[in-house]
Amino acid sequence: MNFGSNGARRVGGGSTRQDRCACACQGRDLEPEVASGRGTVWSFTVNRHKWSPGLEPPYVLAEVELEEQSGLRLLTSIIDCDDVRIGMPVHVRFEQAGDAWVPVFGP
Amino acid sequence: MKAESAALISGLGSSDVGRRLHRDPLLLTADAALAAIADAGLERHDIDGLSTYPGAIGSTPGITGAGIDDVRTLLGLDLRWHTGGLELAGQLGSIANAVLAVAGGLATHILCFRSVWESTAQVEAGDRSSIVARSQRREVRSGQPYGVGYATYGALAMQRYMHESGATREQFAQARRRQSGERRPEPRRRVSRPPDGRRLPRARMISDPLCLFDCDVPVDGAVAFVVSRADSSAVHRRRALRIEALGTASGFQASADMLWSRTDLKPSDVDVAEIYDGFTIYSVRWLEALSLTPRNETGPFIEDGRRISLDGELPISTGGGQLSAGRLHGYGALLEACIQPAAGRRHPSGAGDRPRSRAVSSGAESFTSCLLLTR
C-alpha cells in the first residue's frame, strides 16, 4: 500500500497483511502499480471504542477486497455510507492524515 | 520417530492469576516456574533449557512479565538451550520449540513459561486507546490512521463468519456462558462473570458485532511447564502427558490439518477441547478448523450450551477460557488440558480402547499452533 502524496490512486505492489497477499509470479522487480481503486466489502465493523487519540467513534472499518486479485484485501475505512453491507461495491478515495494520504473507500 | 514422541510434559505450575494483583511480574514468573519444577519432581539444577513467548520484547504494557535472561538469573539456571520471541507458531509455539530441542538432544528438561501483568500495567498505562497508540507492533501502527484496535480484527472475522454461516451473537454468547469451570477440584478464579440472557443485550458494544463479552480479559499471572525428554529416568511417566501431535503451520486450518496429519487419532477421539479464545470468534474458528464441529455449524452446536458444558458431548474451555479466566495466552488452555479430570460424555473414563485425547490451540489468523495431548 502506498500513500500517494498527490492523492493519486496508487494501491498495489504489496499488502498491509502479508499473509493474505499471494505473490504467485515470483517476480523480483516489484513496484507500485496503479490500481483501479474498485473493490467489494469483504467484512466490516462499526467501531464504537476510542482507539486513537483524535479519532472519535463511531466509524466504520472494513476489509475491502480489491478487484485486481481475489484474496487481496485492504484494512481501511468506509466513509459516506450509512448502510454498509458485505459484498457492497466500493471505490477508493484518499484522505489526508498528517503528511500522508491514506486510501479510504465509499460507495 | 516423530519429534513429539521424544518429549513429555512432565510438570506444570501456575502463580496466582487475577486482576490488579500489583505483584512484581518476575515473582509471579518465579512462582509458576518453581511450582512446575517441583511438580515434575525435579530440582532447579535439572533444568537445562528455557523457552517462552515472547520474552523481554515489549509490544503493549504488561504483555510480558519476564525474559529468558530474567528467569535464568532469577533461578540460577545453567542452560544448554533457550529461545523466546514474537515470531513463533502462536504462543504455544514456545512449547513446540521445546519439544524440538529435547527431541534434538540439545536439552533434557526445558522450562517453558508465559507471564503477563497487563491488568496491573493498565493502571499506569491508562485507557486502551493510549496503550494502542504506544504499540510498537507493525499491524497496529499501520492501522493507526484508521483508528484500528486489536478488537477490529475480531470484529471483522466475526462479522464475516456470521454472514457466511448465519450464526448469531446470542449463539456466540453461549461459548462464554458455558466456560464456567464448574465441577473442578480447584476452580480457578474467574476474573469476569459470564453474561446471562439478561446482561447480553445490554453488553457494551466494542466494534459491532463484537461486544465486551467477546473479548478476553487482561490479567496478571504466570504459567509454566516442564518439557522433558521422554527417555529421562527422572520423569514420572505415569503422571506425564504425551504430546501426540503438533500443528505449527500458519493459519487455523493449516495448523489443524498439520496436527491431524501427524497422528492416527481422529477428531472423534478428542474428549475435551481447550481452544484459544482471545475473541469468541477465534474459538469458533478453531473448533471448525480442528474438525470438532462441522463447517459453519458451530452456532447451532453451541446454541443451548449443553454440548460444550462439562458433561456434554464436547466440553470446551473448561477452566473458563481466556474470556472468563483471563488472557494467559494459550498457556492457560494448556494448563487446563493437563489438569481437567472430566472426560465429557463422548468418552466416559475407561470406555473403549482408544486413548483419550485433548486438543489445545493458541493464536489466531497467521499466528497459530495446536497440540493433541494424551496420557
Side-chain angles (χ1 to χ4, degrees):
Chain A
M1 182 170 67
N2 296 279
F3 298 156
S5 58
N6 58 359
R9 291 166 189 166
R10 286 154 66 88
V11 178
S15 163
T16 53
R17 303 291 303 277
Q18 289 170 338
D19 53 307
R20 290 172 181 169
C21 175
C23 188
C25 65
Q26 298 183 31
R28 299 289 199 278
D29 48 350
L30 299 177
E31 57 181 30
E33 197 176 298
V34 176
S36 70
R38 285 188 294 272
T40 52
V41 174
W42 188 82
S43 188
F44 71 96
T45 175
V46 181
N47 178 69
R48 302 188 184 278
H49 191 76
K50 185 167 176 173
W51 299 106
S52 300
L55 265 179
E56 290 304 321
Y59 48 84
V60 180
L61 297 168
E63 277 187 77
V64 168
E65 184 165 78
L66 302 184
E67 73 169 11
E68 277 78 7
Q69 186 180 322
S70 169
L72 178 56
R73 300 197 291 266
L74 273 183
L75 182 56
T76 183
S77 303
I78 301 290
I79 60 167
D80 301 335
C81 183
D82 294 331
D83 186 24
V84 183
R85 307 214 171 233
I86 288 176
M88 187 175 92
V90 284
H91 202 272
V92 78
R93 55 207 74 183
F94 286 82
E95 281 189 345
Q96 195 159 11
D99 55 0
W101 290 80
V102 298
V104 300
F105 286 76
Chain B
M1 185 171 79
K2 64 183 180 184
E4 292 92 326
S5 310
L8 294 168
I9 296 178
S10 59
L12 50 86
S14 167
S15 70
D16 280 348
V17 175
R19 299 273 296 163
R20 309 271 195 265
L21 295 184
H22 292 285
R23 285 196 60 204
D24 185 330
L26 284 181
L27 296 182
L28 290 173
T29 311
D31 283 353
L34 293 173
I37 295 167
D39 185 56
L42 299 172
E43 304 288 341
R44 270 186 292 179
H45 61 76
D46 295 318
I47 299 297
D48 58 359
L50 276 179
S51 181
T52 193
Y53 167 87
I57 297 166
S59 56
T60 48
I63 198 73
T64 178
I68 290 287
D69 217 49
D70 296 325
V71 174
R72 182 185 66 80
T73 50
L74 192 66
L75 302 185
L77 304 174
D78 289 323
L79 300 181
R80 285 159 51 93
W81 178 88
H82 67 270
T83 189
L86 279 166
E87 294 195 298
L88 306 187
Q91 296 91 348
L92 292 177
S94 51
I95 301 289
N97 284 349
V99 168
L100 293 180
V102 296
L106 296 182
T108 304
H109 301 290
I110 298 177
L111 182 72
C112 306
F113 65 93
R114 174 86 185 98
S115 67
V116 289
W117 56 292
E118 289 185 281
S119 178
T120 291
Q122 285 176 4
V123 177
E124 291 169 23
D127 63 16
R128 192 67 180 160
S129 65
S130 61
I131 291 171
V132 169
R134 272 192 273 161
S135 175
Q136 296 302 308
R137 283 197 177 221
R138 189 177 51 179
E139 70 267 26
V140 174
R141 294 183 68 81
S142 67
Q144 272 174 6
Y146 301 110
V148 169
Y150 286 114
T152 305
Y153 299 104
L156 290 167
M158 185 172 170
Q159 183 90 284
R160 181 72 194 185
Y161 180 82
M162 287 168 63
H163 172 77
E164 287 180 358
S165 70
T168 65
R169 278 189 61 222
E170 290 68 28
Q171 290 171 333
F172 271 69
Q174 284 295 347
R176 169 101 187 260
R177 281 188 68 185
R178 293 293 159 166
Q179 297 174 8
S180 53
E182 72 233 271
R183 289 207 293 142
R184 285 273 315 283
E186 298 167 59
R188 222 189 299 157
R189 194 183 320 185
R190 207 162 55 201
V191 296
S192 172
R193 202 151 53 93
D196 54 26
R198 203 164 41 81
R199 289 174 73 212
L200 183 69
R202 293 181 308 180
R204 179 152 67 89
M205 296 306 294
I206 302 297
S207 196
D208 299 356
L210 181 138
C211 72
L212 191 62
F213 294 133
D214 293 309
C215 304
D216 62 356
V217 186
V219 289
D220 303 333
V223 177
F225 300 92
V226 179
V227 171
S228 296
R229 274 179 67 150
D231 59 4
S232 161
S233 56
V235 169
H236 197 306
R237 217 159 257 93
R238 266 193 55 217
R239 288 187 57 230
L241 283 131
R242 294 201 319 108
I243 299 162
E244 171 66 22
L246 288 169
T248 52
S250 255
F252 297 102
Q253 196 61 58
S255 182
D257 289 348
M258 180 177 166
L259 177 133
W260 292 123
S261 76
R262 295 177 68 80
T263 176
D264 293 330
L265 296 179
K266 303 289 173 213
S268 57
D269 293 316
V270 171
D271 67 354
V272 175
E274 306 292 351
I275 42 173
Y276 188 80
D277 56 352
F279 297 112
T280 319
I281 178 64
Y282 293 159
S283 58
V284 173
R285 294 291 309 276
W286 272 119
L287 283 173
E288 295 189 2
L290 287 161
S291 303
L292 297 172
T293 54
R295 172 91 39 209
N296 286 335
E297 289 175 29
T298 304
F301 185 87
I302 63 181
E303 190 163 46
D304 67 6
R306 275 181 306 158
R307 290 191 180 112
I308 57 172
S309 68
L310 258 188
D311 52 3
E313 196 176 315
L314 180 68
I316 68 168
S317 300
T318 50
Q322 297 188 179
L323 294 171
S324 293
R327 185 190 298 143
L328 292 168
H329 263 157
Y331 270 60
L334 181 56
L335 181 72
E336 182 64 20
C338 293
I339 64 179
Q340 170 57 246
R345 194 173 289 167
R346 248 185 202 182
H347 306 103
S349 27
D353 53 359
R354 292 179 78 86
R356 287 157 42 187
S357 66
R358 282 162 187 206
V360 189
S361 67
S362 75
E365 306 296 352
S366 60
F367 176 70
T368 47
S369 54
C370 48
L371 292 85
L372 195 65
L373 302 179
T374 56
R375 196 175 283 279

